[in-house]
Amino acid sequence: MFQTLYNYFWWERLWLPANLTWADLEDRDGRVYAKASDLYITLPLAFLFLVVRHLFETYVATPLAGLLNVKEKVRLKATPNAVLEKFYAATSKHPKQADVEMLSKKSGCTVRQVERWFRRRRNQDRPSLLKKFREASWRFTFYLIAFIAGMAVIVDKPWFYDLREVWKGYPIQSVLPSQYWYYMIELSFYWSLLFSIASDVKRKDFKEQIIHHVATIILISFSWFANYVRAGTLIMALHDSSDYLLESAKMFNYAGWRNTCNNIFIVFAAVFIITRLVILPFWIMHCTMFYPLDLYPAFFGYYFFNFMMVVLQSLHIFWAYLIIRMAQKFITGKVVEDERSDREETDNSEEEEEVAKNGPLSNGHPVLNNNHRKTD
C-alpha cells in the first residue's frame, strides 16, 4: 500500500509536462538537476538555525539592546489569587461582565479589583520589549543577508532581465551550487520559523502567519521538485527585499527612535507595495501563468504552483491593508505601531492617581524609592 501511494505521489504526469520522465532529469555529463532527496538536509539545518538563533539573541541581540537603551515598561503584577488564576487559565482571559461579578463573589474582591487583576495578568503574559527586539534583530539579520545573497545568485543570470528566459529549455535546466544553497538555506529558515512560531511573539495575524509559512514551505519545496528553480530564486529574492526593512523599523521602534522608525517604515511600505502588489502579480505571476503555456500544455504541477502563488498573493493584500492603515497614522502625525500587535493595557484612573501620589505599585503596594538604583 505504501509503495502504491508512493508511486501515485511521484507520478510523472503530476510533476512534469507531457512526454517527460524523471529519467530526463538524472545527472549526466557534469550537469546536476534538482532532486526531492536534496531537501532532506533542510530539517537538520532548521534545527541548526534554532541553535544559531539562540546564540545570536543571547550574545549579539541582547548586548545590542543594551547599547540602544531598549527599556522595559514597568508592569504591575497581579496579586496571587487561586480563583481568578483558575478562571484565567481554564476559561477566558477576557471575562464578560457576568463572569466578573461571579468571580467577585467567589474571590471576595470587588468588581473593580477583579477587572484590574485581569488587566495586570494579561499584561504579564505579553512578551517583553527585549524579547520583541531580539526576535526582530534575528529576522533583520537573516533577511538582509538572504537578500544580498539572493541578488548575488540571480543578478548575473539572463532570466533576471528577461523573464522568458525562466522557461528556456524547461525542465531540462541544471542547478548551480549557488542556487542549491540559496534554496536549502531559505527553506531551512522557514522551517525554523514554523517550528518556533508557538514560542515567538504572537500577533493578531497569528493564523495568517502560519498559513504564510506553510504556503512558503510548500512553494519552495514544490518549485524544487518540479525544477521551477529559476522562478523560485526570483520570488524568494523579491520577498527578502522588503522584510529586512520592516524588522529594522521594529528594532528602532523598540529602542524609542521614533523618527528613524517612521522614516524606515515609509521606505518599507513603498518597497512592499511595489514588490508585492505590482512586480509580483504583474511580472512574476504573469511569467509563471502565461509563458509556460507557450512551451507545453498545462499540467497538475502548473495549476498547483500558481494556486499557491495566489494564496501567497492574498496574504500580501491582507498585509498591505494593515501597512496602509499604519501609513495613514504616520501621515496624520500619529506614532506608527505594528497593527498586528496587542497593545499594553493600562489600569483605571483611580490607580493612576494612586501611582502619581504614592509612586509605582508592585502587587498593590507602593515601591519605596530612596534614590538608589536597584540591581538585579
Side-chain angles (χ1 to χ4, degrees), residues 4-16:
T4 302
L5 292 174
Y6 180 87
N7 292 336
Y8 273 118
F9 182 79
W10 291 111
W11 184 37
E12 291 154 337
R13 294 290 69 78
L14 291 178
W15 302 91
L16 301 173

Side-chain angles (χ1 to χ4, degrees), residues 25-51:
L25 297 179
E26 291 180 358
D27 298 347
R28 62 173 64 87
D29 301 327
R31 294 169 66 89
V32 178
Y33 298 94
K35 293 176 286 294
S37 59
D38 294 334
L39 301 187
Y40 290 145
I41 195 177
T42 61
L43 292 178
L45 280 178
F47 287 103
L48 179 61
F49 261 120
L50 294 177
V51 174

Side-chain angles (χ1 to χ4, degrees), residues 7-125:
N7 292 336
Y8 273 118
F9 182 79
W10 291 111
W11 184 37
E12 291 154 337
R13 294 290 69 78
L14 291 178
W15 302 91
L16 301 173
N19 302 322
L20 287 168
T21 66
W22 294 118
D24 295 315
L25 297 179
E26 291 180 358
D27 298 347
R28 62 173 64 87
D29 301 327
R31 294 169 66 89
V32 178
Y33 298 94
K35 293 176 286 294
S37 59
D38 294 334
L39 301 187
Y40 290 145
I41 195 177
T42 61
L43 292 178
L45 280 178
F47 287 103
L48 179 61
F49 261 120
L50 294 177
V51 174
V52 173
R53 172 180 175 174
H54 174 73
L55 295 174
F56 176 88
E57 291 183 350
T58 302
Y59 297 106
V60 178
T62 301
L64 180 61
L67 289 174
L68 293 177
N69 202 25
V70 175
K71 294 182 178 180
E72 295 286 358
K73 292 182 179 179
V74 177
R75 291 180 176 177
L76 306 179
K77 295 183 178 179
T79 54
N81 189 304
V83 173
L84 301 182
E85 186 66 39
K86 182 179 179 181
F87 186 92
Y88 180 88
T91 307
S92 174
K93 297 180 181 180
H94 297 270
K96 298 178 181 178
Q97 188 60 36
D99 295 325
V100 171
E101 294 173 358
M102 178 270 292
L103 290 170
S104 173
K105 295 176 182 177
K106 279 189 176 183
S107 63
C109 301
T110 65
V111 169
R112 179 169 292 181
Q113 287 173 331
V114 171
E115 292 172 341
R116 183 181 301 164
W117 187 94
F118 273 91
R119 280 194 296 271
R120 292 182 179 180
R121 187 65 182 82
R122 288 192 294 269
N123 281 338
Q124 282 178 226
D125 280 352

